[in-house]
Amino acid sequence: MGYELHISRAEEYYDSEEHPITLDEWLSYAEINPMLRVRGWLGRDEDRQPVYEHPCTDGSIVSLTWFEGAIEIKGHFDGDAYREFGAVAEDLLANLQGDHGERYTASGVLPPTR
């Protein structure tokens, strides 16, 4: 299914600028993560930043980009690909959240907080 996930330090991913993962922090992490590879670029000149691809265990490939203090994960994947990104969120001391507010860890889905 096509779906977006967000890695953020904010309680809600759309508030990521208040508790950001800095771009430098993200780029340093992505550089040492063997599962991430530069797929392309966003922007121009000194403002450009890489778009990373991540192969999921189901064979699909998703993209990861930094945007306003959060990491956006976009793509089409089957199965439980979000579990793969729970570890990335934990490495960055952040949360993994879906578009509808659901929260995940490397172990699975967390119960709703409300």
Side-chain angles (χ1 to χ4, degrees), residues 1 58 77-82:
M1 99 170 82
D58 66 7
F77 48 86
D78 294 316
D80 293 335
Y82 59 81

Side-chain angles (χ1 to χ4, degrees), residues 7-10 19-21 25 86-95:
I7 297 175
S8 169
R9 290 190 179 132
H19 305 283
I21 298 168
E25 194 175 2
V88 174
E90 289 171 7
D91 288 346
L92 292 168
L93 303 175
N95 305 302

Side-chain angles (χ1 to χ4, degrees), residues 27 38-45 48-52:
L27 295 176
V38 176
R39 175 176 148 190
W41 299 89
L42 292 175
R44 296 183 146 188
D45 303 323
R48 85 179 189 157
Q49 61 172 291
V51 175
Y52 293 93

Side-chain angles (χ1 to χ4, degrees), residues 22-114:
T22 67
L23 178 57
D24 287 341
E25 194 175 2
W26 166 241
L27 295 176
S28 293
Y29 176 80
E31 187 176 302
I32 63 168
N33 185 317
M35 296 301 292
L36 298 175
R37 165 173 85 183
V38 176
R39 175 176 148 190
W41 299 89
L42 292 175
R44 296 183 146 188
D45 303 323
E46 69 275 350
D47 291 330
R48 85 179 189 157
Q49 61 172 291
V51 175
Y52 293 93
E53 69 178 14
H54 180 285
C56 297
T57 55
D58 66 7
S60 62
I61 296 178
V62 298
S63 66
L64 289 86
T65 55
W66 180 91
F67 181 71
E68 296 181 349
I71 311 309
E72 306 294 320
I73 304 168
K74 300 177 182 182
H76 177 84
F77 48 86
D78 294 316
D80 293 335
Y82 59 81
R83 293 177 193 254
E84 297 181 52
F85 303 109
V88 174
E90 289 171 7
D91 288 346
L92 292 168
L93 303 175
N95 305 302
L96 180 62
Q97 189 175 24
D99 273 345
H100 302 293
E102 65 281 14
R103 297 174 190 285
Y104 305 100
T105 69
S107 301
V109 181
L110 293 174
T113 57
R114 305 177 231 183

